[in-house]
């Protein structure tokens, strides 16, 4: 997914889960139990190969939008490096924007690859409608560079 819109979605998801966990302690206990801590009151950042660029949780920063964009950069940099080194026939990156477009060649490839009949009623609706101007420009540039590299792996 486009890194900016994905970051906005991550932030919204985090905020929703925090609210839910405050309203129902079972949700907090359950997410802690299963180690699902990328969002919520006990959120902890992922550590990719001892990457120290994002070691503080969301609660230790005032810059929430750029926090989630930096998190996206860390995750997708790691994924890109993994895919580049170990490109396999069974690995496929799919752009959210591609699968939201019923005319996309990519969505047709996915259905063909899985030997499924294409069904247009299951095409997702693109919800990328938020303001993207409040992000750090250097982080945006870095994220879009990674996004472009990933998309080039599986044209």
């Amino acid at each position: 997914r486009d890194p900016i819109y994905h970051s906005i979605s991550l932030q919204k998801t985090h905020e929703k889960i925090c609210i839910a966990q405050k309203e129902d302690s079972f949700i907090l206990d359950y997410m802690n139990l299963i180690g699902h801590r990328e969002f919520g009151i006990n959120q902890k950042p992922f550590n990719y190969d001892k990457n120290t660029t994002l070691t503080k949780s969301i609660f230790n920063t005032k810059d929430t939008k750029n926090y989630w964009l930096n998190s996206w950069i860390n995750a997708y940099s790691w994924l890109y490096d993994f895919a580049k080194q170990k490109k396999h026939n069974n690995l496929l990156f799919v752009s959210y924007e591609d699968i939201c477009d019923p005319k996309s060649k990519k969505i047709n490839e996915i259905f063909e690859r899985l030997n499924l009949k294409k069904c247009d009623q299951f095409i997702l609706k693109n919800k990328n409608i938020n303001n993207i101007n409040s992000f750090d420009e250097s982080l945006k540039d870095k994220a879009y560079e990674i996004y472009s590299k990933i998309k080039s792996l599986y044209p």
Side-chain angles (χ1 to χ4, degrees), residues 19-152:
I19 291 168
Q21 289 175 330
K22 288 175 185 173
E23 291 174 356
D24 184 350
S25 63
F26 172 78
I27 297 170
L28 175 62
D29 293 341
Y30 180 73
M31 288 182 73
N32 286 338
L33 179 69
I34 64 172
H36 201 338
R37 296 179 69 170
E38 62 269 36
F39 304 109
I41 294 170
N42 280 343
Q43 184 268 344
K44 292 186 181 214
F46 289 106
N47 185 353
Y48 298 95
D49 297 327
K50 305 209 183 324
N51 183 342
T52 58
T53 61
L54 189 64
T55 57
K56 295 181 179 179
S57 85
I58 187 66
F59 299 108
N60 299 112
T61 182
K62 293 181 174 89
D63 190 4
T64 58
K65 283 191 179 184
N66 287 316
Y67 173 89
W68 291 111
L69 183 56
N70 201 11
S71 183
W72 187 98
I73 290 167
N74 284 341
Y76 284 87
S77 293
W78 186 91
L79 287 167
Y80 173 73
D81 289 342
F82 175 83
K84 196 170 118 182
Q85 294 169 8
K86 302 175 185 198
K87 194 171 180 181
H88 298 284
N89 290 337
N90 62 350
L91 179 62
L92 176 68
F93 283 94
V94 179
S95 165
Y96 169 80
E97 291 76 19
D98 282 344
I99 62 173
C100 289
D101 179 3
K103 297 176 185 164
S104 167
K105 292 178 184 176
K106 186 62 75 178
I107 195 75
N108 291 330
E109 289 174 24
I110 293 168
F111 279 97
E112 287 174 20
R113 191 172 181 168
L114 297 172
N115 294 322
L116 296 173
K117 182 180 175 188
K118 186 176 175 198
C119 182
D120 290 334
Q121 73 186 29
F122 294 111
I123 303 298
L124 297 171
K125 302 293 184 241
N126 191 333
K127 296 180 180 179
N128 291 347
I129 56 173
N130 299 348
N131 181 355
I132 65 170
N133 296 325
S134 60
F135 289 86
D136 177 274
E137 287 299 319
S138 64
L139 286 178
K140 279 171 56 173
D141 291 345
K142 187 174 184 178
Y144 281 117
E145 179 184 340
I146 295 162
Y147 187 56
S148 177
K149 286 179 181 179
I150 288 172
K151 288 178 80 171
S152 72

